[in-house]
Amino acid sequence: MVEEGALFSVVHSRAPFFFYLYSMNLTAVKKTLDSALDDYHHSKFIDTDPIQIPHRYTLIQDIEIAAFLSATIAWGNRIAIINNALRMLELMEPSPYDYVMNSTTNSLKKFPEIIHRTFNKVDLVYFINALKMIYLKHDSLGEIFKGKDVHQAISNARNIFFATDHPVRSLKHFSDPSKGAACKRINLFLRWMVRKDPKHIDFGLWSHIKMDQLICPLDVHTGNTARTLGLLKRKQNDWKAAEELTLQLRLLDPIDPIKYDIALFALGALRKK
C-alpha cells in the first residue's frame, strides 16, 4: 500500500505505478480525495473554472443557458474555455434568456465565425434556436432531462434538442450516451444543475434528478487520476468507464459521489501548476 504522505507525488510521477497503486484500499483513496476537496472545493475554485460564467446571473433561465453553453465548449485549455465563454455570453447581455427568446435571424449574425475550437457560429445559432424552441414549451431546461436514469435523461434531452432540422456537424456538440460517448460536457452541466453544494460551487437548481444518480464527468484528467488511484480499470474514456468510476465514487459517498469530480480534476490538472 502507498504511504499517505507520498501519494500526491506518486499521482503526478511519470514512473510506472500500476503494480502498487491498485492495492490501495478505499479508505486511503477517500482520504486523498477528501484532502483535495479541502484544498479546492471552495468559492475560490469558481474564479478558475468555467462555472464562473453562470455564476454571473441570478435568474434561473439565465443560469441554465449560460451553464449549458459554457459546458458545451468545456474542452481543451481552461483559460481559452473561460475567455471564449465570456465572449459568447457577453454578446447576449444583459440576459441570455431574453436574448434567446427574442433572437432573430439578424440578431444572430453578430456572432464570430469561430466560438471555441470546432464549435462555431453555425453550431451556436442552432443551439440558440433549439433553446428558444424548448423554452417556448417549458419553464426550465431541466424539464427535457427526464428518464429512469441519467443515461435515458440525456438521450431524451438530446432527441428533443435535435427534433428540428439541424446541421449534422452540430450533433457532436451534444454527445450521445447510446453510442458509448462519455458525455463529459453534458454530465458536467448536470453536475452544475443538480448538486446541492454546501460550498455553493454547483447550483442545485433541479430536484427531479438526484445527486446519487449523477454520472461523473470523465475527461483525460479525471480518467488518469482515477486510474492512478485504482478507481478505474477501463482504458477508454467512454460511457462504461464513466459508469465504472461513478460506482466506485458511490462507495466513498453514497449521497453525493460526484463531488469527487472536483478532487479528481484538481489532482490531475491543478496540482501540476
Side-chain angles (χ1 to χ4, degrees):
M1 185 176 295
V2 179
E3 295 180 7
E4 294 172 14
L7 183 56
F8 285 143
S9 62
V10 171
V11 167
H12 300 299
S13 171
R14 294 184 179 180
F17 53 76
F18 59 89
F19 55 92
Y20 53 86
L21 280 181
Y22 285 143
S23 67
M24 292 182 59
N25 62 39
L26 283 176
T27 300
V29 171
K30 179 173 170 56
K31 289 182 69 174
T32 297
L33 294 179
D34 285 341
S35 178
L37 283 179
D38 287 341
D39 289 340
Y40 291 99
H41 189 214
H42 49 67
S43 59
K44 291 182 180 179
F45 178 84
I46 295 172
D47 297 332
T48 66
D49 192 80
I51 201 172
Q52 68 179 261
I53 311 300
H55 270 286
R56 292 158 58 103
Y57 304 98
T58 55
L59 183 71
I60 288 177
Q61 291 85 354
D62 283 338
I63 293 171
E64 290 177 342
I65 292 171
F68 181 74
L69 294 177
S70 298
T72 294
I73 66 169
W75 86 98
N77 180 275
R78 291 216 314 163
I79 294 176
I81 294 167
I82 292 168
N83 288 339
N84 290 335
L86 283 170
R87 180 179 62 168
M88 175 172 55
L89 270 299
E90 282 172 354
L91 291 171
M92 303 181 194
E93 294 288 7
S95 166
Y97 177 66
D98 285 347
Y99 184 87
V100 165
M101 300 310 292
N102 295 296
S103 61
T104 64
T105 301
N106 286 333
S107 69
L108 295 174
K109 290 180 179 179
K110 68 180 182 180
F111 291 106
E113 292 300 320
I114 302 299
I115 306 300
H116 178 75
R117 302 184 72 168
T118 62
F119 188 79
N120 65 20
K121 181 177 181 177
V122 170
D123 302 313
L124 179 56
V125 167
Y126 180 78
F127 271 50
I128 289 173
N129 287 331
L131 288 168
K132 183 176 183 177
M133 172 192 70
I134 291 165
Y135 280 112
L136 284 171
K137 297 179 180 179
H138 304 286
D139 292 331
S140 168
L141 189 55
E143 292 181 42
I144 70 170
F145 285 89
K146 291 189 176 180
K148 65 179 181 180
D149 54 27
V150 166
H151 184 291
Q152 188 179 81
I154 294 174
S155 294
N156 289 342
R158 189 176 187 273
N159 289 337
I160 293 171
F161 197 81
F162 291 113
T164 59
D165 289 340
H166 54 270
V168 174
R169 59 161 290 114
S170 299
L171 292 168
K172 64 185 176 184
H173 294 298
F174 193 144
S175 298
D176 187 353
S178 68
K179 293 184 178 179
C183 301
K184 176 258 181 176
R185 290 174 284 171
I186 201 69
N187 279 321
L188 179 65
F189 170 66
L190 291 177
R191 193 203 90 196
W192 292 353
M193 294 296 96
V194 172
R195 276 197 70 235
K196 307 296 190 291
D197 189 352
K199 299 297 180 67
H200 304 293
I201 295 174
D202 297 321
F203 292 91
L205 297 177
W206 301 350
S207 59
H208 65 281
I209 299 175
K210 305 303 181 185
M211 292 196 298
D212 61 359
Q213 292 179 303
L214 292 171
I215 297 295
C216 187
L218 180 61
D219 63 7
V220 172
H221 298 298
T222 55
N224 288 345
T225 305
R227 292 183 184 94
T228 300
L229 295 174
L231 293 172
L232 178 59
K233 294 183 179 179
R234 188 171 176 82
K235 295 180 180 180
Q236 304 98 311
N237 285 338
D238 57 11
W239 185 264
K240 288 184 178 179
E243 285 187 318
E244 178 187 334
L245 173 56
T246 301
L247 286 173
Q248 293 298 308
L249 297 180
R250 287 172 184 159
L251 296 177
L252 305 181
D253 188 332
I255 297 173
D256 185 17
I258 308 306
K259 70 182 182 184
Y260 289 116
D261 173 46
I262 294 174
L264 290 167
F265 177 81
L267 287 172
L270 302 182
R271 281 187 178 270
K272 293 180 180 179
K273 299 180 180 180

